[in-house]
């Protein structure tokens, strides 16, 4: 299965700033997925990122707030812009694994103060 | 839309069996998954089951699928303290399009000595 390196693992950011999260995969993958997990909640899909095209965002998520880059088949970034305390969450990237499942990064725990 | 539902909390004694239940939304879902999330960590794929199967066993884990009732369960035999974590079921709804995982609400398993 693919191995994902996600960073940073955690960060504390000021309101109004932005945080960019990186995910590096050890093999080429077509689709990468970005999820948000709010405190005590389940995971919600933010967007799907394909290389060479714009990301596809789920209802309730917009590109201006969550811009995504996908410059090649092994790398993607998610930026959370204009931070507010409500953005405090764990953000996770994911790719399809070889065994019909999905592999996840270790997550980025964001706290906005 | 409908939620993938799980009971929030389960407490068992070490050595007992744990059964975590999930009610999913789409009877056309092809794959159903169980993930484990330990504190401060990402998601670990535990097991999955194809929709044409009723049961799957993998060491201490047994997955049961009742398609008629859209009910999925995960049984952990001889539960250990290291099994303490949050467990998420997940499906890929046929009606959702693409490869989008929809997660359950999560069940926190606490294993007591």
């Amino acid at each position: 299965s693919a191995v994902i390196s996600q960073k940073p693992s955690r960060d504390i950011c000021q309101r109004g700033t932005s945080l960019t999260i990186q995910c590096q995969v050890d093999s080429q993958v077509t689709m990468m997925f970005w999820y948000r997990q709010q405190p005590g909640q389940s995971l919600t899909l933010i967007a799907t990122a394909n290389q060479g095209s714009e990301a596809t965002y789920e209802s309730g998520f917009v590109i201006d707030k969550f811009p995504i880059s996908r410059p090649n088949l092994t790398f993607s970034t998610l930026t959370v812009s204009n931070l507010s305390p409500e953005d405090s969450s764990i953000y996770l990237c994911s790719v399809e694994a070889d065994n019909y499942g999905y592999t996840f990064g270790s997550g980025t725990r964001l706290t906005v103060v | 839309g409908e939620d993938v539902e799980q009971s929030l909390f389960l407490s068992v004694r070490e050595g007992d069996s744990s059964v975590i239940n999930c009610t999913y939304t789409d009877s056309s879902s092809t794959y159903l998954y169980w993930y484990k999330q330990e504190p401060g960590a990402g998601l670990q794929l535990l097991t999955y089951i194809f929709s044409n199967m009723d049961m799957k066993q993998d060491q201490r884990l047994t997955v049961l699928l009742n398609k008629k009732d859209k009910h999925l369960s995960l049984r952990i035999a001889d539960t250990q303290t290291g099994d303490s974590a949050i467990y998420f079921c997940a499906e890929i709804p046929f009606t959702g399009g693409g490869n989008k995982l929809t997660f359950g609400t999560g069940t926190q398993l606490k294993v007591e000595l």
Side-chain angles (χ1 to χ4, degrees):
Chain A
S1 283
V3 176
I4 303 175
S5 174
Q6 181 174 346
K7 53 184 178 182
S9 58
R10 58 179 62 230
D11 206 342
I12 301 173
C13 298
Q14 298 287 328
R15 289 176 195 238
T17 64
S18 299
L19 176 69
T20 295
I21 303 165
Q22 299 179 4
C23 273
Q24 178 75 51
V25 190
D26 68 347
S27 58
Q28 294 184 340
V29 294
T30 304
M31 289 188 286
M32 293 182 74
F33 306 88
W34 287 98
Y35 288 84
R36 181 178 72 183
Q37 185 179 22
Q38 293 178 299
Q41 303 293 315
S42 186
L43 282 79
T44 301
L45 181 64
I46 297 171
T48 303
N50 291 325
Q51 191 265 337
S53 63
E54 283 202 2
T56 303
Y57 289 83
E58 297 300 303
S59 175
F61 298 96
V62 295
I63 187 171
D64 290 346
K65 176 68 174 177
F66 298 98
I68 287 171
S69 78
R70 184 78 202 276
N72 57 53
L73 291 173
T74 63
F75 186 78
S76 180
T77 67
L78 169 74
T79 299
V80 189
S81 304
N82 189 23
L83 291 167
S84 68
E86 293 71 34
D87 295 319
S88 296
S89 296
I90 299 172
Y91 294 85
L92 301 104
C93 61
S94 174
V95 301
E96 287 188 79
D98 296 333
N99 58 353
Y100 303 104
Y102 291 77
T103 300
F104 283 80
S106 53
T108 297
R109 184 179 295 271
L110 169 62
T111 303
V112 182
V113 296
Chain B
E2 298 174 62
D3 292 332
V4 178
E5 296 186 348
Q6 300 177 236
S7 51
L8 288 178
F9 191 77
L10 176 65
S11 180
V12 299
R13 296 177 70 91
E14 188 177 41
D16 288 349
S17 293
S18 308
V19 179
I20 302 170
N21 295 302
C22 169
T23 302
Y24 60 97
T25 63
D26 190 341
S27 59
S28 299
S29 292
T30 309
Y31 305 107
L32 295 133
Y33 305 91
W34 282 104
Y35 281 88
K36 176 183 180 183
Q37 186 178 38
E38 296 183 80
L43 269 72
Q44 174 193 356
L45 176 63
L46 286 178
T47 187
Y48 65 93
I49 188 168
F50 293 114
S51 60
N52 63 356
M53 299 169 66
D54 297 323
M55 185 184 82
K56 180 179 180 181
Q57 186 152 2
D58 184 0
Q59 299 182 345
R60 292 192 297 123
L61 306 178
T62 302
V63 179
L64 295 178
L65 176 60
N66 181 329
K67 285 188 66 176
K68 174 177 172 289
D69 296 335
K70 291 186 282 188
H71 185 263
L72 183 72
S73 68
L74 174 69
R75 178 178 181 269
I76 306 173
D78 187 25
T79 312
Q80 304 297 308
T81 55
D83 295 322
S84 292
I86 300 176
Y87 291 80
F88 292 96
C89 63
E91 64 171 340
I92 299 179
F94 181 80
T95 52
N99 299 331
K100 302 175 186 177
L101 274 175
T102 298
F103 281 87
T105 47
T107 299
Q108 182 162 359
L109 173 63
K110 181 179 179 182
V111 182
E112 299 176 328
L113 296 173

